[in-house]
Amino acid sequence: MGTTSTEVLAFPNIRAIVRDNGTAEVLVAGNSRIVPAGDSVQDLRNNALALVVGEAQTLQRPVRVQIEDPEGHGELIVHPDNKIESVSYEPRPTRRRVEAPETTPETVAPTVIDTVPVAAPEPVAVPARPIAAAAVDRQPWPPNPVETEPATEIPEPAQPSAAGAEVPQTTATVPEAPLTRRSLKETSFLVSAPVLEPATQGWRGTLTRLGLRMDPSAEELSEREDIRTVSQHWPGPRTIAVVNRKGGANKTPTVVMLSAILARYSGAATVAWDNNESQGTLGWRTEKGAHDRSVLDLIDSSQSLLSPSTNAAEIAKFVHHQTGDKFDVLRSDENEEGDHEVTAEEVDIAHQVLTRYYRLVVMDSGNTARAANWRRMIDHTNQLVVPVTAIEDRAEAARLTLQTLESRGGNDAELARNAVVIVSESTDAKRIMTGDALKRAKDEAQRIADGFEPFVRAVVRIPYDPALVNGPIRYEALQPATQRAWLAAAAAVADGF
């Protein structure tokens, strides 16, 4: 380690003592420092080492610490740069138990139990090996402990009876357990627990980039878990239906955001489908491809698209790819006459085609829960999402939508009970919200969220963001807080898969 003995011995009077009664202390130059309690002896060892590391860092020089615990004693060298070396370790001597032999009922001799120490094995020198102080909670103490021999039974000479007659000597025979080996099938060199990656955000991330590895905060761990949830690949396709019987309830922005996040993180082929009865707005708020085809064109070409000989790339003729957010959009019928309403049978055909080419289908919807295409959409749904803005009539329409589904019973009622409600601070006011208006929207969003919480599986709040008010919606244009909220919403949806 390049450390001289003079440096190591400059502050030698440190002892770390762990007792088998569940207490421990660290003595520094005779002054006691109480070690924080732990659930096990190993916890006490870890906490004691942490105190010693602090002393070394305070002194800015290596210190030698004598360790004592129920299993043995030895020495460690702790450096101020968070390195720990094991010097030596000597286990406690094993002890053998001596018991009296069995006696007859007529002459019961008192049982004699004594302990006889057995010579301790030679101390085992452990090569110096630096260990990062950040890993103190995994530091073995003692390092390389020597296994003690199993206790053996030693007979004692027979005791004379009360009448002076000698009782024949007997020996209690204990059969030896056969020596067994672990099967190779039961052994693995793989580490099962994942390694916790260091912090990347906030001041912890800054310190990590400066070379001081820091654990992530609770907020960063929560974000990582949401990312893990939305990054899954589920067996078979999954269909999400975004519904609310009231227009302006934020259905289309919700479809875009869920599609963008699921496509970005999971890498799964994702399509956003505007299942409006006639003309929907999903095509207006997303990128347009080099063609004008819509769901009706896809239905007309369904026989070809479902043919086993058709190449997967053929679907690009009918959908509009989002170059930034990596998902496709299937637009609703946009003919000027508006004389065609999508039927239930056409929903079946379009869904069959899309689930052949995509793992995830996110469906926008119209405002009529009685429409044939709306009801057939529900039949194909795996997860129901009900968006609502911080306006009373939107919230009431969302409640009635859930009530309608619940009253139908069966799968519709199950979808309603497991729905995810996404409450957004008003984004349909067509203006930038500031000051008192924004505060009122926050308060109303919280009130609405609290109202839905007892009746559905999850409720997620989305903060106001001017990037969601008008024009094409892009994930990268959102504020960081809005992106984080939509990630949490997508994770809540994915939990239902």
Side-chain angles (χ1 to χ4, degrees):
M1 299 297 296
T3 302
T4 65
S5 59
T6 302
E7 290 177 316
V8 172
L9 296 175
F11 194 74
N13 299 323
I14 295 183
R15 294 175 63 198
I17 305 171
V18 177
R19 304 178 181 87
D20 54 9
N21 64 354
T23 63
E25 64 178 331
V26 172
L27 298 174
V28 181
N31 296 320
S32 175
R33 286 163 171 70
I34 302 300
V35 174
D39 295 331
S40 65
V41 172
Q42 187 61 46
D43 289 338
L44 291 172
R45 295 167 176 160
N46 298 338
N47 295 339
L49 273 180
L51 289 178
V52 176
V53 169
E55 291 294 334
Q57 292 175 342
T58 300
L59 293 168
Q60 283 301 300
R61 58 188 176 191
V63 298
R64 185 185 298 270
V65 55
Q66 296 178 350
I67 59 173
E68 299 180 24
D69 69 9
E71 295 182 9
H73 57 88
E75 287 185 323
L76 299 176
I77 296 176
V78 178
H79 294 262
D81 59 352
N82 298 341
K83 300 296 188 297
I84 301 175
E85 301 176 58
S86 55
V87 177
S88 64
Y89 182 77
E90 184 175 346
R92 300 289 183 194
T94 58
R95 306 181 75 84
R96 294 185 179 180
R97 188 178 63 177
V98 179
E99 293 184 352
E102 296 181 2
T103 57
T104 60
E106 293 82 6
T107 58
V108 178
T111 301
V112 178
I113 301 178
D114 196 4
T115 56
V116 180
V118 178
E122 290 296 325
V124 178
V126 181
R129 179 169 62 91
I131 299 176
V136 165
D137 59 341
R138 298 186 293 274
Q139 167 70 16
W141 176 350
N144 291 335
V146 179
E147 295 185 1
T148 57
E149 298 179 0
T152 57
E153 303 292 336
I154 300 179
E156 185 179 344
Q159 300 292 332
S161 66
E166 190 178 80
V167 178
Q169 182 174 342
T170 60
T171 302
T173 302
V174 178
E176 292 186 2
L179 183 63
T180 60
R181 290 186 179 182
R182 291 183 62 185
S183 167
L184 285 174
K185 291 182 178 180
E186 301 171 354
T187 304
S188 175
F189 295 102
L190 299 178
V191 178
S192 57
V195 177
L196 180 65
E197 297 180 4
T200 60
Q201 300 178 3
W203 65 266
R204 294 170 181 261
T206 300
L207 291 176
T208 295
R209 288 187 288 275
L210 291 175
L212 299 175
R213 181 187 176 100
M214 299 291 292
D215 287 341
S217 64
E219 292 79 6
E220 185 172 354
L221 288 175
S222 175
E223 181 174 344
R224 291 182 184 183
E225 178 59 23
D226 284 346
I227 291 174
R228 188 199 66 80
T229 300
V230 300
S231 300
Q232 304 298 312
H233 276 195
W234 298 272
R238 294 292 187 271
T239 299
I240 302 165
V242 179
V243 300
N244 189 319
R245 288 164 51 175
K246 182 69 175 176
N250 218 37
K251 291 193 293 292
T252 297
T254 298
V255 169
V256 174
M257 284 295 96
L258 293 180
S259 300
I261 291 170
L262 290 169
R264 279 169 166 264
Y265 287 106
S266 73
T270 304
V271 62
W273 170 12
D274 194 343
N275 186 43
N276 201 290
E277 301 89 65
S278 55
Q279 287 183 312
T281 60
L282 180 61
W284 301 349
R285 306 213 62 186
T286 53
E287 294 179 61
K288 183 180 180 299
H291 58 82
D292 295 317
R293 295 186 181 91
S294 69
V295 63
L296 294 184
D297 299 295
L298 179 137
I299 293 169
D300 290 341
S301 302
S302 60
Q303 186 173 356
S304 172
L305 290 170
L306 292 173
S307 170
S309 61
T310 300
N311 189 286
E314 291 297 309
I315 194 67
K317 295 178 179 178
F318 304 93
V319 294
H320 302 262
H321 185 61
Q322 307 303 296
T323 55
D325 291 329
K326 311 306 181 187
F327 68 95
D328 293 342
V329 171
L330 179 63
R331 293 186 167 198
S332 63
D333 173 31
E334 296 180 359
N335 71 76
E336 295 180 358
E337 292 78 11
D339 55 359
H340 180 87
E341 289 190 2
V342 177
T343 66
E345 292 74 18
E346 288 172 332
V347 170
D348 290 339
I349 294 170
H351 189 267
Q352 184 180 6
V353 171
L354 293 179
T355 52
R356 176 183 174 182
Y357 292 90
Y358 297 93
R359 288 174 179 255
L360 297 172
V361 180
V362 185
M363 299 181 70
D364 202 348
S365 62
N367 304 327
T368 306
R370 300 173 183 175
N373 68 315
W374 199 100
R375 299 191 66 157
R376 188 55 57 88
M377 171 186 66
I378 297 299
D379 294 338
H380 292 292
T381 297
N382 299 109
Q383 176 62 56
L384 191 72
V385 176
V386 182
V388 59
T389 56
I391 301 176
E392 286 184 355
D393 60 351
R394 272 59 162 188
E396 183 65 10
R399 184 190 68 80
L400 292 173
T401 302
L402 290 169
Q403 178 182 319
T404 297
L405 292 170
E406 192 169 24
S407 66
R408 292 175 181 173
N411 182 63
D412 289 11
E414 189 67 20
L415 287 172
R417 286 189 291 269
N418 289 312
V420 174
V421 173
I422 300 178
V423 184
S424 297
E425 294 165 14
S426 182
T427 59
D428 62 342
K430 305 300 181 186
R431 60 186 176 85
I432 302 299
M433 295 178 60
T434 58
D436 293 340
L438 185 57
K439 183 180 183 305
R440 287 194 299 271
K442 288 179 179 292
D443 293 342
E444 185 67 4
Q446 186 60 58
R447 183 181 74 85
I448 292 171
D450 292 341
F452 277 107
E453 192 167 356
F455 306 105
V456 294
R457 181 172 59 81
V459 179
V460 182
R461 281 188 56 190
I462 306 295
Y464 170 78
D465 196 313
L468 292 172
V469 175
N470 291 310
I473 302 171
R474 294 182 177 86
Y475 177 80
E476 291 294 348
L478 301 180
Q479 298 170 354
T482 314
Q483 292 180 353
R484 178 66 186 95
W486 278 111
L487 173 61
V493 171
D495 274 335
F497 293 161

